Amino acid sequence: MKNRIIYALLIALCVIGFWLFENFYTPATYSNPNGTRRDLVQTDFLPNSTTGEVVQHAYYTLSYSEAHEQAEWVAYTLKRKHLTYDDRERPYFIEDPKVKTKSADWRNYRGSGYDRGHLLPAGDRRFSEQAYNETFYTSNISPQDKYFNAGIWNRLEQKVRYWCKKYGNLIVVTGGILKNDLEEIGSEDVDVPRTFYKIVLRGNGERTQVLAFLIPAEESQEPLQNFVVPVDEIEKKTGIDFFQNQPEAWQSVIESEVNDNGWKF
């Protein structure tokens, strides 16, 4: 009888310990070590922030929307030297310490039926532990249908890597279309975008080439080319001025056209 009581107490302590770990444990911040080299988007190509909450990490920049508990955009450079196959241990998702209002807790996603979908893919940042771990801040994730996340969205991410290998350095800006009538999950009311966008830029000056994608947040077998739109269309849906620091004449040409010539699909 005494042994049964001891066993029951041990089991109860294990259950309580596991519950406390799951609900209250947060690992150390993925801080920026001294001397870490940065590969950030030039200010000339950063979008404006409609929220005023711009956060700069060592290897990407974002604009956080507290109202939607996720980034309205994440911007980063992708270079050939970034595309490694280093084996990295997947870290915990943690709140972003640089977001003043605190980014959403990952537990909002638990049991929601949605993936914690990366905006800046972890696969683009395998070249260093620091760069890889930074992608697991919850400011860099958005609720995504698992078939979308593993399907057409993943195909687009892979295509971007292919273009980087083929053409060289790229600038990528990506996020969900954030509105006021979206489904919400978790105790913090994380909004679930119905559509995601990705803008890919290469070159500079008159030789700049841009492709912009607007994709409904559901799996599709359609070719990626079918989702190419003018940057202007994404600006209308988001209220974001993506290339605000570029000359007006440059913007009027680059943002209004759909031209996938020179991009091998």
Side-chain angles (χ1 to χ4, degrees):
M1 182 65 178
K2 184 177 180 181
N3 288 340
R4 289 181 181 177
I5 293 173
I6 293 173
Y7 291 147
L9 287 173
L10 288 173
I11 291 172
L13 287 172
C14 288
V15 170
I16 292 170
F18 180 77
W19 183 86
L20 290 171
F21 180 86
E22 278 286 293
N23 288 277
F24 295 103
Y25 172 72
T26 300
T29 295
Y30 305 136
S31 58
N32 180 22
N34 292 332
T36 295
R37 181 174 50 80
R38 293 170 179 260
D39 285 308
L40 293 172
V41 175
Q42 295 174 312
T43 303
D44 287 350
F45 287 102
L46 280 179
N48 80 314
S49 170
T50 69
T51 67
E53 181 75 49
V54 175
V55 172
Q56 189 177 77
H57 289 295
Y59 294 99
Y60 66 95
T61 305
L62 64 91
S63 173
Y64 196 76
S65 174
E66 171 64 21
H68 301 92
E69 289 291 6
Q70 63 200 275
E72 63 172 349
W73 56 257
V74 171
Y76 61 98
T77 59
L78 188 61
K79 302 181 178 182
R80 285 192 181 112
K81 62 185 178 182
H82 293 163
L83 300 177
T84 70
Y85 296 96
D86 296 20
D87 188 21
R88 299 288 174 192
E89 183 178 351
R90 190 179 177 89
Y92 291 97
F93 284 99
I94 64 172
E95 295 175 14
D96 190 334
K98 292 190 175 183
V99 173
K100 294 176 183 177
T101 54
K102 296 178 64 177
S103 60
D105 192 296
W106 67 267
R107 296 173 185 86
N108 287 284
Y109 290 74
R110 189 166 56 191
S112 69
Y114 291 99
D115 279 3
R116 290 162 290 192
H118 280 76
L119 297 175
L120 163 54
D124 287 357
R125 289 295 184 259
R126 290 186 176 277
F127 60 90
S128 87
E129 182 180 5
Q130 168 67 22
Y132 186 75
N133 287 356
E134 276 189 346
T135 70
F136 285 83
Y137 284 130
T138 57
S139 56
N140 183 49
I141 64 173
S142 183
Q144 293 183 341
D145 173 82
K146 65 179 180 180
Y147 299 108
F148 168 79
N149 187 22
I152 190 170
W153 191 245
N154 181 56
R155 285 198 286 123
L156 179 54
E157 291 173 343
Q158 292 183 35
K159 185 60 69 176
V160 171
R161 292 182 195 119
Y162 167 78
W163 287 328
C164 182
K165 290 177 182 177
K166 186 173 180 64
Y167 304 122
N169 298 351
L170 304 174
I171 292 173
V172 184
V173 184
T174 189
I177 303 295
L178 304 182
K179 298 182 177 182
N180 295 325
D181 62 344
L182 298 173
E183 176 188 351
E184 295 177 333
I185 60 171
S187 61
E188 294 180 272
D189 295 331
V190 180
D191 284 80
V192 182
R194 291 191 287 265
T195 312
F196 285 84
Y197 69 86
K198 195 180 295 288
I199 301 170
V200 186
L201 177 149
R202 80 176 200 255
N204 54 67
E206 294 181 357
R207 291 184 290 181
T208 302
Q209 293 180 281
V210 173
L211 273 187
F213 297 84
L214 197 58
I215 307 180
E218 57 189 22
E219 172 54 345
S220 172
Q221 297 300 317
E222 289 188 48
L224 291 171
Q225 294 98 310
N226 290 5
F227 299 96
V228 177
V229 299
V231 173
D232 280 343
E233 183 173 339
I234 302 176
E235 289 190 335
K236 289 177 183 177
K237 291 182 179 296
T238 61
I240 299 168
D241 187 352
F242 285 98
F243 301 114
Q244 60 173 337
N245 295 317
Q246 292 299 310
E248 287 295 330
W250 184 97
Q251 291 186 54
S252 66
V253 173
I254 295 295
E255 296 182 358
S256 63
E257 65 180 8
V258 172
N259 184 1
D260 60 7
N261 293 333
W263 297 84
K264 183 173 176 57
F265 282 85

